[in-house]
Amino acid sequence: MSPLKKYQNCRKYLEKDYIMKLIFDPHYLWPVCIVLLVFEFLLNFMIINRVKYTEIDWIAYMQEVEGFLNGTLDYKELKGDTGPLVYPAGFVYIYTLFYYVTSKGTNILLAQYIFLFLYLIQTFLIQRIFRKTMKIPPYALVIATLTSYRIHSIFVLRLFNDPIAVLLFYISLNLFMDDQWMLGSICYSIAVSVKMNILLYAPCLLLAYLVNLTYVETFINLFICGFIQLLLGLPFLYGNFVSYIKGSFDLGRVFEHKWTVNFRFLPREVFENRILHIGLLLLHILLLLLFLPHFRRYLTSYAKLNVVTKEYRLHLLKEKQETEEKEKKEMKKMSKGQKAFLKSFENQLKDSGRVKEENDSKFEDKLSKIAQLFVLPFFVSNLIGVACARSLHYQFYSWYFHSLLYLVFSTEYTVQYKFLILALIEYCWNVYPSTNFSSGLLHCCHVVLLFGVYRTMKK
């Protein structure tokens, strides 16, 4: 390539039109994602080295793991300073690995760097979803990244298990979007084995199985999910079946009022009352039923369009192969002079060829937007669960933080209103300890967000 050509290629990146696309066009999210990944690495590295680590659950996690390593398989006997072990078996195995890697949990700095690495992986995975759906403009992703304090704290200053479960879910969601259903089911089940909040996605996942797969394939994937739970929990099921089920999947667990983010305005006796818990469960079910027809319509449309997309891509591949074979045969019959003339002619048509490639690329972009039909029901299903939770602790913000940006941009609210919702939710999660106002405001934000998404899906 001549120096002039190189200069012209570089110059286009400085043109106003290209810069505006980098800011506003979701098709140009990729370069912004790369920059943000580098920024996230530097930011988290700085946080680790400049902000004091806060001990909350890490020591308790290590104590629970030590009990397992010492041969205790009865779940009710596995305890730490914060109480008994309340997470499934996958948590035990993952934190056992951390136990050994971090010198029995004493090398906190190394653990923080491990969580930094996990955070970058999760960021990449959610960015990949954003790129495939082309729903989020680059500037919005930049703003969301720059304005979140709590999520970085949860990852690299607290070392909770919640982010690990969410990371595994995002791996599974990416696999589902790539039609790797069995691998996705494996990762999903492992995520559930780390913390059962991932079950909030289960209603949508079951529906996705039914509309995208045959009944046999659905059964196989459900079997995979169940078998992995059985396999991971087998030592503890053998040790004490009842205590493992009750300890790791305790749906009736009572949370402490002092840690609640979403129900601070309720008196303790009301907060701990089973009537409230049953009422929230019924509300959760009713909201799922309300959204169910729209989930089904979205996922069914996705399944149909996904088949069309596959057929089109196969057609393009076949057409390309046939064209290449035809050109090879014709080239063999040509003389050297004819080949030279053809080469010159191809160079003259290069620009028009690029136009064709750009058109093909745009068509592929349009087809890839069907991913929106798949992603939104999952994120809404999780949001419903969070909104109806009996109690939310600060680390639970990681359950839905990365999906909030997608959810607000799935509404028809104005851009200002969208960012106001995000800002208010971030504010609520950063008020410590929570107040009556922050708890009530968080519920209001959830209601407004659910209403906005419902209006979008209803159309």
Side-chain angles (χ1 to χ4, degrees):
M1 185 182 293
S2 65
L4 179 61
K5 201 69 174 177
K6 289 181 180 179
Y7 171 75
Q8 290 174 343
N9 287 339
C10 293
R11 186 179 177 183
K12 74 175 183 180
Y13 297 116
L14 301 176
E15 293 176 355
K16 181 181 177 181
D17 182 59
Y18 183 79
I19 293 173
M20 295 301 289
K21 287 178 179 178
L22 275 179
I23 297 173
F24 296 103
D25 192 344
H27 294 83
Y28 288 76
L29 199 58
W30 174 244
V32 176
C33 287
I34 295 175
V35 173
L36 286 178
L37 269 177
V38 175
F39 172 80
E40 286 283 22
F41 169 76
L42 296 174
L43 176 63
N44 282 279
F45 183 83
M46 184 179 68
I47 291 172
I48 290 172
N49 287 278
R50 295 194 177 186
V51 182
K52 186 179 179 181
Y53 163 78
T54 305
E55 171 54 42
I56 297 180
D57 283 339
W58 175 260
I59 291 177
Y61 292 165
M62 295 298 105
Q63 291 168 339
E64 291 159 357
V65 164
E66 281 183 337
F68 164 66
L69 294 175
N70 290 333
T72 302
L73 297 178
D74 188 342
Y75 239 58
K76 69 176 183 291
E77 300 299 328
L78 294 174
K79 301 176 181 178
D81 289 342
T82 58
L85 176 58
V86 292
Y87 309 119
F91 160 85
V92 177
Y93 302 135
I94 290 174
Y95 274 82
T96 295
L97 178 62
F98 290 159
Y99 178 86
Y100 284 118
V101 172
T102 61
S103 304
K104 299 182 179 180
T106 59
N107 193 340
I108 301 295
L109 183 61
L110 177 58
Q112 289 180 281
Y113 284 130
I114 292 172
F115 272 77
L116 165 58
F117 177 68
L118 296 176
Y119 179 80
L120 293 177
I121 294 176
Q122 182 167 313
T123 301
F124 171 80
L125 291 170
I126 196 67
Q127 286 178 351
R128 184 173 185 265
I129 293 172
F130 290 165
R131 294 198 310 272
K132 288 177 76 70
T133 56
M134 292 183 290
K135 190 75 174 177
I136 309 299
Y139 78 89
L141 184 57
V142 172
I143 293 173
T145 301
L146 295 177
T147 55
S148 175
Y149 164 79
R150 178 63 65 184
I151 196 66
H152 295 93
S153 171
I154 291 170
F155 264 89
V156 298
L157 295 180
R158 304 294 189 271
L159 311 181
F160 290 117
N161 65 322
D162 303 74
I164 297 174
V166 175
L167 167 63
L168 288 165
F169 168 74
Y170 282 131
I171 293 174
S172 70
L173 185 59
N174 274 271
L175 288 168
F176 291 142
M177 293 173 70
D178 293 338
D179 291 324
Q180 300 293 325
W181 289 92
M182 289 188 183
L183 287 175
S185 296
I186 291 171
C187 290
Y188 178 81
S189 189
I190 295 174
V192 172
S193 77
V194 176
K195 194 162 186 176
M196 68 175 182
N197 68 285
I198 304 301
L199 288 173
L200 295 177
Y201 295 99
C204 187
L205 179 58
L206 176 59
L207 191 58
Y209 283 153
L210 291 171
V211 300
N212 284 274
L213 307 175
T214 65
Y215 288 126
V216 173
E217 290 170 335
T218 297
F219 174 79
I220 291 172
N221 280 274
L222 290 174
F223 175 80
I224 289 172
C225 291
F227 179 74
I228 288 175
Q229 293 302 314
L230 178 63
L231 184 65
L232 294 175
L234 195 59
F236 305 105
L237 290 168
Y238 177 78
N240 189 325
F241 181 90
V242 175
S243 70
Y244 175 70
I245 298 299
K246 185 178 179 181
S248 58
F249 296 100
D250 185 8
L251 297 176
R253 180 184 172 195
V254 178
F255 295 96
E256 292 187 52
H257 184 257
K258 66 178 180 179
W259 297 118
T260 186
V261 175
N262 59 330
F263 280 118
R264 175 67 61 184
F265 54 84
L266 292 179
R268 181 185 296 274
E269 56 272 17
V270 176
F271 174 78
E272 296 177 352
N273 195 301
R274 287 185 61 83
I275 295 177
L276 173 66
H277 304 166
I278 294 171
L280 289 170
L281 177 60
L282 291 175
L283 178 61
H284 188 174
I285 295 171
L286 287 173
L287 285 172
L288 285 174
L289 291 174
L290 179 66
F291 276 89
L292 181 61
H294 310 301
F295 286 176
R296 183 176 181 180
R297 180 165 56 87
Y298 267 56
L299 292 171
T300 302
S301 298
Y302 168 81
K304 292 177 180 178
L305 291 171
N306 197 32
V307 171
V308 174
T309 303
K310 288 179 183 177
E311 291 176 351
Y312 174 75
R313 286 173 176 163
L314 287 173
H315 171 72
L316 284 180
L317 181 61
K318 185 178 179 181
E319 189 179 65
K320 183 180 178 181
Q321 290 174 343
E322 290 176 351
T323 302
E324 288 176 351
E325 289 177 3
K326 187 177 179 181
E327 287 177 351
K328 286 180 181 178
K329 290 179 180 178
E330 291 177 351
M331 287 289 285
K332 288 179 180 179
K333 298 177 182 179
M334 292 182 183
S335 64
K336 290 184 178 180
Q338 288 174 324
K339 290 179 180 179
F341 173 78
L342 182 61
K343 186 70 175 176
S344 175
F345 187 67
E346 285 177 349
N347 289 334
Q348 293 177 20
L349 294 176
K350 186 175 286 186
D351 290 337
S352 62
R354 284 176 181 167
V355 171
K356 182 180 182 302
E357 287 179 7
E358 289 175 3
N359 289 336
D360 289 342
S361 177
K362 288 179 181 179
F363 187 71
E364 286 289 327
D365 289 341
K366 290 178 181 178
L367 289 176
S368 70
K369 287 185 179 181
I370 65 171
Q372 296 176 13
L373 299 170
F374 188 78
V375 171
L376 185 58
F378 277 91
F379 285 170
V380 174
S381 179
N382 184 53
L383 175 62
I384 290 172
V386 172
C388 298
R390 288 185 289 121
S391 183
L392 294 174
H393 294 177
Y394 286 95
Q395 65 267 34
F396 296 2
Y397 191 25
S398 63
W399 293 5
Y400 73 151
F401 168 78
H402 289 96
S403 66
L404 285 173
L405 183 62
Y406 189 93
L407 287 166
V408 295
F409 273 86
S410 296
T411 68
E412 295 181 347
Y413 298 137
T414 63
V415 173
Q416 294 86 346
Y417 202 9
K418 291 174 182 176
F419 280 107
L420 176 61
I421 294 172
L422 290 174
L424 291 176
I425 291 176
E426 179 72 19
Y427 163 78
C428 294
W429 285 97
N430 279 285
V431 175
Y432 179 80
S434 61
T435 63
N436 294 346
F437 175 75
S438 66
S439 292
L441 181 60
L442 184 60
H443 282 290
C444 291
C445 291
H446 288 162
V447 170
V448 170
L449 186 52
L450 279 170
F451 177 72
V453 174
Y454 180 77
R455 283 201 308 174
T456 299
M457 298 188 77
K458 192 177 179 181
K459 289 186 175 181

